[in-house]
Amino acid sequence: MATNRTFTMIKPDAVRNGHIGAILKMINDGGFRIVAMKYTQLSIAQAGQFYAVHSARPFYGELTSFMSSGPIVAAILEKDNAVADFRTLIGATNPVEAAEGTIRKAYATSIGENAVHGSDSDENAEIEGNFFFSGLERF
Ligand code: GDP
């Protein structure tokens, strides 16, 4: 059953480049309600755990070192059809392929440093939200 929630991170590149505010505005304008949010930094081990599904991929080392290279904004977002609608809002993994009007088109710099994360299923949204947030941190 769809939970109407998804999980996102504003990644270290977008934070470093000063895009937190602009990305949050696109998220708000897209109709998503913020359920939980925090500004934090992952250790390389935590980034490895979060992206464990990609551990066999050739870019895993690059991904975990990038994702632990600076602070991120983590959030749980709510909206009807949240997972699919947020994937539409963020655009394709590679910014060269991302549609006009998407967050990655506007702010991603490469396929690796692509500004935002968005869960790819309701199941992963739940797992990823639980990775960062307790029940007391959700509103
Ligand atoms: P997403 O669901 O659109 O984020 O894409 P994936 O689940 O396929 O990959 C997860 C993340 O790994 C991406 O958002 C990128 O940050 C990173 N990534 C994917 N492909 C590559 C790649 O070819 N090179 C590098 N360096 N990073 C990649």
Side-chain angles (χ1 to χ4, degrees):
M1 194 185 87
T3 58
N4 297 332
R5 289 187 177 183
T6 192
F7 171 80
T8 187
M9 290 183 282
I10 301 177
K11 296 186 178 184
D13 59 323
V15 172
R16 260 193 295 276
N17 294 331
H19 299 315
I20 294 174
I23 291 172
L24 289 178
K25 177 165 169 37
M26 289 178 79
I27 290 171
N28 277 328
D29 290 349
F32 294 87
R33 189 181 78 78
I34 292 164
V35 173
M37 177 171 280
K38 68 175 63 165
Y39 189 47
T40 187
Q41 183 165 352
L42 293 169
S43 67
I44 195 153
Q46 289 166 332
Q49 196 185 339
F50 185 88
Y51 282 109
V53 68
H54 293 307
S55 60
R57 308 279 284 274
F59 56 81
Y60 183 64
E62 223 172 280
L63 174 61
T64 55
S65 84
F66 162 60
M67 286 303 298
S68 59
S69 68
I72 58 155
V73 176
I76 296 172
L77 305 175
E78 187 172 71
K79 181 186 186 296
D80 285 348
N81 203 33
V83 167
D85 285 1
F86 194 68
R87 295 289 301 190
T88 300
L89 178 63
I90 69 178
T93 309
N94 187 343
V96 171
E97 292 159 14
E100 272 317 318
T102 62
I103 295 173
R104 283 170 167 168
K105 177 72 179 184
Y107 300 116
T109 49
S110 68
I111 190 168
E113 305 207 357
N114 59 6
V116 279
H117 169 81
S119 305
D120 64 3
S121 66
D122 287 329
E123 187 193 4
N124 284 336
E126 177 77 14
I127 293 167
E128 292 168 1
N130 291 342
F131 186 91
F132 281 90
F133 298 103
S134 74
L136 290 172
E137 296 172 308
R138 301 168 194 227
F139 303 96

